[in-house]
Amino acid sequence: MRLSYRLLLSSLSLCAGLAPLASAFADPAPVIAVNREIGLAMTGTFRNSVSGASSSVTENGGSGFITQSASASRYRTIGWTPGFRADASVMFNVFGIENLYGALHFSLEDGQRNYKSHYRSYSSNSAPFGFSAGGNDSSNGTDNRGEIGKGFLLLSDTFLLTPFIQGGYVTSGGDGDFGYGSGRYFAGAGLKADYALTSRLVLRGRFGWAEVLNSGISYNNQPRPLWEGGLGMDYRMTRRLHLTAGGDYSYISYGHDRNVESSTEFGTAYSYSGVSSALSNGLKLHAGLAWQF
């Protein structure tokens, strides 16, 4: 009896000693696991970018002869481009703080989109003039960004909310693929939500805001807000291999720029007024594979 008692105590001590080790190798909650991945996906991005400007000029030479002129232009780029994206994210505990989050994202697009441009001008001392053009043009760019945040587990570890801060750098060529201008920094914040519908399937959502610094539009170089939202899913096919898919929407408006000038010199009166605006929105679809570590 005493031997059995000692054996029981020894067994309990061994189990207690192995418990931390077993916990270390135990699978994390599904909503945590999807934030510990390295993934690669193919993408297709639809973008619609529109800009326009109009101006009017009045000149009075002082001899009763007045010249008036006006012009209006509009430019639009629309279509799909293929590409790919690479993502790496980690969620860990340190110094008693649970579920710290960090991620790096890179995406590249390269293809062609359709462009259309219209220009019209009028002058009181000449015939009206105008032209239209259209066709396909190259459209390419990269999006490089990083995120840092902290996750909060809710609903018996089936729901994870992760507020984060973000920053990055975008480049574009051709028609200004990402709509932010060519080679611009951005910084902002956002909120991620992960919900485990089953032990294998996690539904994912994301909402983000950022300021695009020095937006790159010739008539308005001020920072402009970029709004983003996305929905996706992560399905665990094996213990480590996951299938990922989803869509992300982005919108940026460069606002309305207005410029008014007037002068009177050497008996000549001159006045000018002009307005311009631009916006870009896009939808990026992606599907790929990720490796959980």
Side-chain angles (χ1 to χ4, degrees):
M1 182 70 178
R2 181 175 297 178
L3 180 60
S4 300
Y5 181 72
R6 289 179 178 177
L7 183 60
L8 178 60
L9 287 178
S10 300
S11 300
L12 290 174
S13 300
L14 179 61
C15 291
L18 292 177
L21 185 62
S23 176
F25 287 95
D27 286 336
V31 291
I32 299 293
V34 297
N35 288 286
R36 297 178 179 175
E37 292 181 340
I38 297 176
L40 186 66
M42 302 301 295
T43 64
T45 303
F46 176 83
R47 189 166 301 283
N48 176 35
S49 301
V50 181
S51 63
S54 61
S55 64
S56 62
V57 177
T58 301
E59 292 181 274
N60 186 345
S63 58
F65 182 76
I66 300 176
T67 301
Q68 293 181 319
S69 61
S71 65
S73 61
R74 180 178 173 86
Y75 182 85
R76 182 178 188 180
T77 302
I78 189 170
W80 290 87
T81 53
F84 74 92
R85 58 183 282 177
D87 306 281
S89 62
V90 62
M91 187 161 277
F92 58 95
N93 306 330
V94 65
F95 301 126
I97 305 176
E98 296 184 341
N99 304 325
L100 292 177
Y101 164 77
L104 294 174
H105 306 283
F106 169 81
S107 65
L108 179 145
E109 300 169 26
D110 193 357
Q112 289 189 331
R113 289 193 174 98
N114 182 261
Y115 75 90
K116 298 176 182 179
S117 61
H118 303 274
Y119 176 81
R120 295 290 183 272
S121 67
Y122 163 82
S123 177
S124 59
N125 59 3
S126 63
F129 170 77
F131 68 87
S132 298
N136 290 327
D137 197 4
S138 64
S139 181
N140 57 78
T142 64
D143 188 328
N144 316 268
R145 66 177 65 200
E147 300 172 354
I148 300 175
K150 184 190 183 307
F152 297 89
L153 280 169
L154 304 168
L155 303 179
S156 301
D157 295 351
T158 61
F159 187 57
L160 179 70
L161 277 178
T162 308
F164 62 88
I165 59 174
Q166 63 171 331
Y169 185 76
V170 291
T171 64
S172 59
D175 60 30
D177 186 47
F178 286 90
Y180 313 157
S182 177
R184 302 295 162 186
Y185 291 97
F186 65 92
L191 180 67
K192 285 167 19 75
D194 299 307
Y195 177 69
L197 192 62
T198 69
S199 60
R200 288 181 176 269
L201 178 61
V202 175
L203 303 181
R204 317 197 70 183
R206 181 183 185 278
F207 174 79
W209 158 87
E211 281 288 305
V212 180
L213 309 178
N214 209 15
S215 58
I217 298 300
S218 60
Y219 52 80
N220 189 341
N221 283 329
Q222 300 302 312
R224 300 301 304 171
L226 166 69
W227 301 96
E228 299 173 307
L231 294 173
M233 54 79 68
D234 187 300
Y235 181 76
R236 180 169 60 88
M237 297 188 295
T238 69
R239 187 170 182 268
R240 298 295 183 188
L241 189 62
H242 293 221
L243 173 66
T244 62
D248 300 291
Y249 175 79
S250 64
Y251 173 84
I252 182 171
S253 172
Y254 295 98
H256 296 269
D257 184 64
R258 182 175 180 83
N259 187 18
V260 178
E261 299 177 6
S262 62
S263 65
T264 303
E265 292 182 357
F266 308 109
T268 300
Y270 168 86
S271 65
Y272 166 86
S273 66
V275 294
S276 54
S277 62
L279 63 86
S280 178
N281 53 25
L283 175 65
K284 177 179 290 185
L285 304 178
H286 59 90
L289 298 172
W291 182 260
Q292 177 195 331
F293 56 86

